[in-house]
């Protein structure tokens, strides 16, 4: 678990932390020691992947001093690629949707 209580994945020389409390997504860029980095001068976006093999892009807004937030996202996405642009370098990691409920027919 990350410093904000989310899931952490390694992304090059960084780590990316994602939280999905339902209804929105939070993302945080962490250093090699999993310490949060300031969100100043950093861009963050998400690519959401859906069960029908389509995808959708969304831009995060800055949140606090070290976070990024997307308010409204469809709940039925399968996975999400979080992409940071740090000083011209792209850093990304893919996260499964932990709140996805499988419907049985």
């Amino acid at each position: 678990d990350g410093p904000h209580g989310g899931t952490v994945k390694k992304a090059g020389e960084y780590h990316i932390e994602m939280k999905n409390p339902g209804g929105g997504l939070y993302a945080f860029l962490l250093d090699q020691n999993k310490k949060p980095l300031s969100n100043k001068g950093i861009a963050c976006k998400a690519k959401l992947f859906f069960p029908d093999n389509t995808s959708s892009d969304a831009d995060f807004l800055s949140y606090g001093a070290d976070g990024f937030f997307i308010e409204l996202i469809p709940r039925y996405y399968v996975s999400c690629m979080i992409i940071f642009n740090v000083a011209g370098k792209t850093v990304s990691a893919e996260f499964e949707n932990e709140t996805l409920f499988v419907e049985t027919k």
Side-chain angles (χ1 to χ4, degrees), residues 39-97:
N39 56 18
K40 292 217 182 332
I42 296 176
C44 183
K45 64 182 180 178
K47 186 172 209 61
L48 301 169
F49 299 96
F50 300 102
D52 62 359
N53 294 321
T54 61
S55 64
S56 174
D57 294 333
D59 291 323
F60 280 85
L61 300 173
S62 293
Y63 176 80
D66 62 356
F68 295 87
F69 176 66
I70 295 176
E71 188 171 3
L72 295 172
I73 57 158
R75 297 183 61 84
Y76 58 91
Y77 73 94
V78 176
S79 65
C80 168
M81 178 76 70
I82 296 186
I83 305 153
F84 282 97
N85 188 316
V86 188
K89 267 175 62 177
T90 299
V91 181
S92 65
E94 190 165 347
F95 295 83
E96 299 299 311
N97 183 354

Side-chain angles (χ1 to χ4, degrees), residues 11-55:
E13 58 195 68
Y14 298 96
H15 290 85
I16 295 175
E17 179 182 9
M18 187 189 92
K19 269 176 79 170
N20 179 0
L25 284 181
Y26 293 87
F28 305 91
L29 188 64
L30 312 175
D31 68 12
Q32 293 177 331
N33 300 315
K34 297 186 182 174
K35 298 264 186 277
L37 297 172
S38 168
N39 56 18
K40 292 217 182 332
I42 296 176
C44 183
K45 64 182 180 178
K47 186 172 209 61
L48 301 169
F49 299 96
F50 300 102
D52 62 359
N53 294 321
T54 61
S55 64

